[in-house]
Amino acid sequence: MIDISESVMQFLLALIVVGPLIGAVLALLPAPPGLKGKSPDQAVLRHGVTVTGAILVAAIVLALGFDHDQPSRMQATTDISWIPALHVRIHLGIDGISLPLLVLTALLTFLCALYSYFKMPTGPSPKAFVALILLLESGTLATFAVLDLLLFFLAFEMVLIPMYFLIARWGGAERAAAAWKFILFTLLGSVVMLLGILLIGVKSDTFDMMALATDNGRGLSTSVQVIAALAIGIGLAVKTPMWPLHSWLPDAHTAAPTVGSVLLAGVLLKMGTYGFVRILLPIAPDGFRTFAPYLAALAVIGIIYGSLACLNLAKQGAKGDLKRLIAYSSVGHMGFVLLGIATMSPTGVNGALFANIAHGLITGLLFFLVGALKDRTGTSDLDTLAEQGGMALYGKAPRLGGLLAFAAVASLGLPGLAGFWGEMLALFGAFRPADDLSRPAFLVFMAIAALGTLLTAAYMLILVRRVCMGPRPQQTPALADVQAYEFAAWTPLVALTVLAGLWPAALLGLTNPAVQKLLAGGLK
């Protein structure tokens, strides 16, 4: 770690939040600044790589300067009055909960920009594409950095428009319907969430998340907390997505371009679960406790539902789309995150935060790989691929096949890889939830969720068998193996998946003190 002054840390965090927004505006100029290219399109794509690369460097420096001895303390804080009449402040800060998500967002956005520089999705001018990617990054980073409820809502909503256009303009078949479904679901959820946020602000006379967390719900009656938790929880559950509010996700993933799917799964889904941890657990604990058993029940239903849907898509003759299959797998994986949060225990919440990061790394890699496979074959339908001469990726493109198998076994939770720890800790949290929750009920939830891990292993192994294995058919077109730019974009995800699996203490050492303090209502 390096010693950086608080003022420099404040500047870095502000740059991380605002920098992509400025970059998005500059990308729309006739000649965007950045490295020159052979054409205007190449120049603007290089501009995207340059801006996202600078933000990633700033995030890494911020992480290195973070005081790891006090991860529960808000650091790099900026607190400026913005709208005094509404008690709204420009309040920024990071702790051990938000820092990993901030770095993950910066990393995935940079890798998407790098990948797009070499493999730009088919669609309109790259100018708008790069501007939308940067606008999406700014909104996501702001969501993880702001400490004011109204600013959180604005940042939460800021990502909807760029993702809508990324799907609608650069997506595949049925992209218009998928984009509309995405925007309608998320906007309706956000309207309900705003009502809950306003209720808390009016009753507490402040929107400051740190002040509200320190108060730990003592200034809010139980009925207010219940109503606020329900309203805010619905909005967050749509974005997570929680069963049965998930139906927009498979369509959005199937239609989205490769980088859109990576960012949607790797970053946007984390905004909902982060809101549960950052807002509902410390600010409305009594209200959240009322709904925790129901949240856990819906979470385990989502785990089983997502796994069964994936099994159905993976079987032969089901016309299963690979992108759709991974989208349904996300419903199951995010179910483990919600189950961990619903336990209201340090073990469960730490498991949820770990699973968040692991899912971003592994599912981001899976969508990159499926996108590369679709680029090479023109389809991501399992049966269509088989009809074209079979997959047998191990023989036709061994590196691509090996990476797909690695991502699949990481996703099913193989010990030693990142996917294992989060789900295991979520199950341990359900084994011993918070004292005032029904342990017998959570033991049932734990048993059902454990069955989900077996189903996950089943469909992922079927996927590997169908796509990667088998004799190489005669007279089939050759597939290009992993290219240099793909290697550059995917290697960090592989390395971090292994590192997080072998050294989970690096992440848990950040989150655990912050979670302990958050659950105790002691944020200061």
Side-chain angles (χ1 to χ4, degrees):
M1 303 305 126
I2 56 178
D3 185 18
I4 300 179
S5 67
E6 183 67 14
S7 60
V8 174
M9 294 280 283
Q10 292 171 348
F11 171 77
L12 285 173
L13 184 58
L15 174 65
I16 289 169
V17 172
V18 179
L21 186 61
I22 298 173
V25 174
L26 296 177
L28 298 174
L29 297 178
L35 302 178
K36 293 182 178 179
K38 297 179 181 178
S39 67
D41 286 352
Q42 189 183 55
V44 75
L45 290 171
R46 286 191 177 185
H47 170 74
V49 175
T50 303
V51 174
T52 56
I55 297 302
L56 176 59
V57 170
I60 292 173
V61 174
L62 184 71
L64 292 174
F66 186 81
D67 185 355
H68 290 252
D69 293 329
Q70 301 183 67
S72 61
R73 179 176 65 85
M74 280 293 172
Q75 302 179 35
T77 55
T78 299
D79 191 2
I80 303 171
S81 178
W82 184 33
I83 309 176
L86 298 178
H87 306 288
V88 179
R89 307 183 68 82
I90 299 177
H91 196 177
L92 305 176
I94 54 168
D95 63 356
I97 294 172
S98 52
L99 179 62
L101 291 166
L102 205 75
V103 176
L104 176 67
T105 300
L107 173 65
L108 284 178
T109 311
F110 169 71
L111 296 180
C112 285
L114 180 65
Y115 186 86
S116 299
Y117 176 75
F118 294 96
K119 192 67 179 179
M120 172 67 194
T122 303
S125 164
K127 276 183 174 290
F129 177 82
V130 170
L132 290 171
I133 290 289
L134 293 173
L135 182 61
L136 183 70
E137 181 182 30
S138 182
T140 310
L141 291 169
T143 300
F144 299 136
V146 297
L147 296 172
D148 182 278
L149 281 177
L150 282 183
L151 283 185
F152 176 89
F153 177 78
L154 292 176
F156 197 83
E157 296 305 289
M158 183 176 168
V159 304
L160 301 185
I161 299 303
M163 182 53 71
Y164 167 81
F165 281 109
L166 286 173
I167 297 172
R169 301 303 300 274
W170 286 271
E174 300 182 2
R175 58 183 182 269
W180 272 111
K181 196 171 185 179
F182 163 77
I183 199 74
L184 288 176
F185 264 78
T186 50
L187 279 179
L188 287 174
S190 297
V191 169
V192 180
M193 183 174 74
L194 177 60
L195 296 177
I197 288 174
L198 292 176
L199 176 62
I200 289 177
V202 169
K203 293 296 184 180
S204 302
D205 202 31
T206 182
F207 291 101
D208 187 275
M209 292 162 66
M210 289 183 68
L212 290 166
T214 302
D215 185 68
N216 200 220
R218 287 182 286 270
L220 300 172
S221 66
T222 301
S223 59
V224 168
Q225 288 191 43
V226 169
I227 296 172
L230 178 62
I232 296 173
I234 289 174
L236 298 173
V238 171
K239 187 68 72 73
T240 298
M242 179 188 74
W243 184 93
L245 303 174
H246 69 284
S247 60
W248 61 270
L249 183 70
D251 292 338
H253 270 310
T254 304
T258 296
V259 295
S261 293
V262 171
L263 292 175
L264 180 58
V267 176
L268 265 67
L269 301 190
K270 312 303 174 285
M271 296 165 63
T273 51
Y274 174 78
F276 277 106
V277 175
R278 179 64 75 198
I279 298 174
L280 293 186
L281 279 177
I283 295 176
D286 294 335
F288 185 81
R289 190 175 293 108
T290 301
F291 295 107
Y294 304 102
L295 177 63
L298 293 174
V300 296
I301 291 174
I303 292 170
I304 300 300
Y305 172 84
S307 299
L308 292 177
C310 290
L311 274 173
N312 181 62
L313 290 169
K315 71 181 182 181
Q316 196 164 358
K319 291 294 180 183
D321 187 277
L322 280 171
K323 293 186 73 176
R324 198 171 191 85
L325 186 149
I326 298 171
Y328 274 110
S329 78
S330 292
V331 175
H333 288 304
M334 298 311 290
F336 280 99
V337 177
L338 290 172
L339 175 61
I341 296 171
T343 67
M344 300 185 72
S345 68
T347 301
V349 176
N350 274 301
L353 295 171
F354 198 104
N356 252 348
I357 301 298
H359 180 266
L361 297 171
I362 297 168
T363 307
L365 177 61
L366 277 169
F367 275 117
F368 268 134
L369 293 167
V370 172
L373 186 60
K374 186 174 182 179
D375 290 337
R376 286 160 168 78
T377 62
T379 182
S380 57
D381 182 84
L382 278 167
D383 283 350
T384 303
L385 289 167
E387 291 165 3
Q388 291 178 354
M391 291 308 302
L393 271 184
Y394 288 156
K396 299 168 72 173
R399 294 183 182 86
L400 185 61
L403 281 171
L404 184 60
F406 169 84
V409 297
S411 183
L412 64 83
L414 184 72
L417 299 176
F420 171 74
W421 295 105
E423 296 183 2
M424 184 194 70
L425 290 172
L427 292 175
F428 282 173
F431 181 76
R432 195 173 296 279
D435 292 338
D436 43 6
L437 295 177
S438 170
R439 193 182 182 206
F442 275 84
L443 288 175
V444 174
F445 298 147
M446 181 193 73
I448 298 173
L451 175 62
T453 63
L454 299 178
L455 295 175
T456 301
Y459 70 73
M460 279 299 178
L461 292 176
I462 292 173
L463 173 65
V464 171
R465 178 180 60 80
R466 293 195 64 190
V467 175
C468 299
M469 297 181 179
R472 179 175 178 178
Q474 299 296 320
Q475 298 180 346
T476 56
L479 286 182
D481 213 337
V482 179
Q483 305 295 304
Y485 72 93
E486 294 172 328
F487 181 81
W490 302 341
T491 297
L493 301 180
V494 173
L496 289 172
T497 298
V498 174
L499 180 63
L502 296 178
W503 190 25
L507 182 56
L508 293 173
L510 281 174
T511 62
N512 185 52
V515 167
Q516 295 278 0
K517 194 170 186 179
L518 179 141
L519 291 176
L523 277 176
K524 292 183 179 180

